Amino acid sequence: MYQIDFKHPEAKIYFCGIGGSSMSGLAGMMKHLGFTVWGSDRSESPHTWQAEKEGIRVIIGQKRDNITDDIDCAVFTAAISPDNPEYQAVIEKGIPHITRAELLGQIMDQFPKSIAISGTHGKTTTTSMISEILRRNGSDPSFQIGAILNSVHTSYHTGRSELFVAEACEYTNSFLSMRPYIGIIMNIEEDHLDFFKDIDDIRHSFRRFAENIHDDGWLIICSDIPNLEEITEGLSCHIVRFGKDKAHDDYYAEDVSYNNNAELSFTCHSPSKEDRRVTLKVPGKQYIADALAAIAACDICGADDEAILASLYAFEGSDRRFQYKGICNGFKIIDDYAHHPTQIRVTVEAAKHIPHNTLYACYEPHTYTRTKALMNEYIDALSTADVVLLVPVFAARETDTLGVTIEAIAEKVEAKGTPCHCFNSIKEAEQWILDHLKENDLLVSMGAGSIYQLADSLVNYEYDFPEENQ
């Protein structure tokens, strides 16, 4: 594997897929560290725009001619296939190349006190919470988040301390490139079944991630994970459990309540500190687990209680994580990255705490493989909304539809008694929403693809949908 010399940042690094949420942040971080950085993507996006604002040259369109002989190292995302023209050119020219995960692992190795947050879901929010707490504590951490942190309007920061906070994604075993001081496992569920064989295969990878933690480091793990001992048994690092088990968990929550503003409060119990009353502005019980993991990590890092409690109360989420977008024609709009049934369920449940008349859930299924494998779970989760709106599947890296259609999803949702409407495009769904939603209704858009355009268009009116997504 190509090893980057961080002490002598003279290399010229090319990012293929620079518009990815993580790739754009890594490109910005490498530029800040002194490297010459540029890259390409198939289309423009908020992440490519942000990269350009930071002085990074972005080429729209991926072709062989983009790969020049002066490139010292090319970085590829997991979504880049062997038939990608830039990938082929890199191989033919013999240019050193590494994956996004390998680059992130090499950056992490430069920081003695690294924190890697893994799990099927909850990674972005927990990473954001930890980063916010450590910033307020004056620790000046470096961080790499898979979304824009709303308080600082960026997905990354290069700090001056030994602390580095980053998401650790399991897809294609990316997180096995990391060797953290503190490793966090939020949950383990079926996902990415286009790569993993089954849940046992997924659990095996999380076990390997736990084994990568420094021997004198810490594993912070949710006790709700079934057969937890399979993940933790025989590890050399310290183990901290969080969850709902008062008898065995080191960190657990009690006395959960909501106020009239849908703010959630709970009492955090922990082994070495007095009970702390935590209040979150973001609604939804899923944030309790995120906050418990963040508190545990920041306790280990020596953050004081004022920084922890004040940061969690001030936390307004990260980009596309239950993000309030605004009001259109009197109805409120929430946008969320949710694309797994568990995420959809908790997002809809959180939305119910916001005063409204009718709750509309507009969902863009993400990949045919995931949708087919978890079809029944999707039906159950979507049916918890008052009305469901479906737009075409975002294929991402896939070409085979596997027979998956949104019409088939709609039929099963309606069989559960929930009205469901299908649309040929996001733009078509937008027009229906403008024609039918009334004052005091609530719209939640969900998905990991292009669905963010819907909320942006509704609140800005002048948003121009890219042709390929119409």
Side-chain angles (χ1 to χ4, degrees), residues 43 86 239 354:
S43 59
E86 293 188 356
I239 298 174
I354 298 175

Side-chain angles (χ1 to χ4, degrees), residues 314-460:
F315 181 70
E316 296 181 349
S318 48
D319 188 49
R320 303 213 62 227
R321 270 62 180 184
F322 208 83
Q323 184 178 12
Y324 174 71
K325 301 294 289 191
I327 295 177
C328 175
N329 293 349
F331 62 85
K332 295 178 181 179
I333 303 168
I334 300 291
D335 184 47
D336 198 276
Y337 191 70
H339 57 286
H340 184 278
T342 300
Q343 295 169 324
I344 292 171
R345 183 180 294 278
V346 298
T347 298
V348 172
E349 181 62 31
K352 291 179 179 179
H353 291 284
I354 298 175
H356 64 276
N357 291 336
T358 303
L359 172 57
Y360 292 81
C362 186
Y363 177 57
E364 178 187 49
H366 191 265
T367 75
Y368 300 105
T369 304
R370 178 185 284 118
T371 304
K372 183 174 183 178
L374 304 175
M375 178 67 78
N376 291 334
E377 290 87 344
Y378 278 115
I379 304 307
D380 289 343
L382 289 168
S383 299
T384 59
D386 295 328
V387 180
V388 175
L389 314 176
L390 296 174
V391 299
V393 177
F394 188 86
R397 53 195 170 268
E398 297 180 344
T399 56
D400 188 347
T401 68
L402 303 177
V404 173
T405 67
I406 57 174
E407 288 76 16
I409 299 173
E411 182 179 350
K412 294 180 180 180
V413 169
E414 291 200 321
K416 285 186 168 289
T418 302
C420 188
H421 305 273
C422 297
F423 303 94
N424 294 319
S425 67
I426 296 174
K427 190 67 176 177
E428 185 179 300
E430 178 193 26
Q431 188 58 57
W432 190 94
I433 289 166
L434 290 171
D435 292 341
H436 290 82
L437 269 67
K438 299 179 176 60
E439 187 172 357
N440 295 325
D441 285 340
L442 176 60
L443 172 68
V444 180
S445 55
M446 297 178 290
S450 301
I451 193 65
Y452 69 89
Q453 298 166 358
L454 175 64
D456 288 346
S457 181
L458 287 169
V459 298
N460 293 308

Side-chain angles (χ1 to χ4, degrees), residues 201-269:
D201 191 22
I202 295 170
R203 288 174 60 86
H204 175 67
S205 288
F206 274 94
R207 166 68 192 199
R208 291 172 63 193
F209 169 75
E211 291 172 347
N212 276 356
I213 297 171
H214 296 185
D215 288 347
D216 62 341
W218 301 77
L219 170 63
I220 300 172
I221 188 166
C222 180
S223 65
D224 292 343
I225 297 171
N227 300 318
L228 192 68
E229 294 75 17
E230 289 182 358
I231 309 298
T232 62
E233 187 176 9
L235 294 176
S236 300
C237 62
H238 307 285
I239 298 174
V240 173
R241 295 170 47 130
F242 69 93
K244 306 170 186 175
D245 188 344
K246 292 190 289 186
H248 300 98
D249 286 344
D250 300 290
Y251 287 77
Y252 63 93
E254 280 191 321
D255 305 322
V256 178
S257 64
Y258 290 89
N259 64 19
N260 292 333
N261 295 321
E263 293 177 346
L264 181 153
S265 295
F266 65 90
T267 299
C268 172
H269 299 275

Side-chain angles (χ1 to χ4, degrees), residues 270-291:
S270 54
S272 58
K273 291 193 175 185
E274 294 183 0
D275 293 348
R276 288 166 281 188
R277 190 67 182 171
V278 179
T279 301
L280 304 172
K281 289 181 179 178
V282 286
K285 289 186 178 180
Q286 75 272 22
Y287 291 109
I288 295 176
D290 301 338

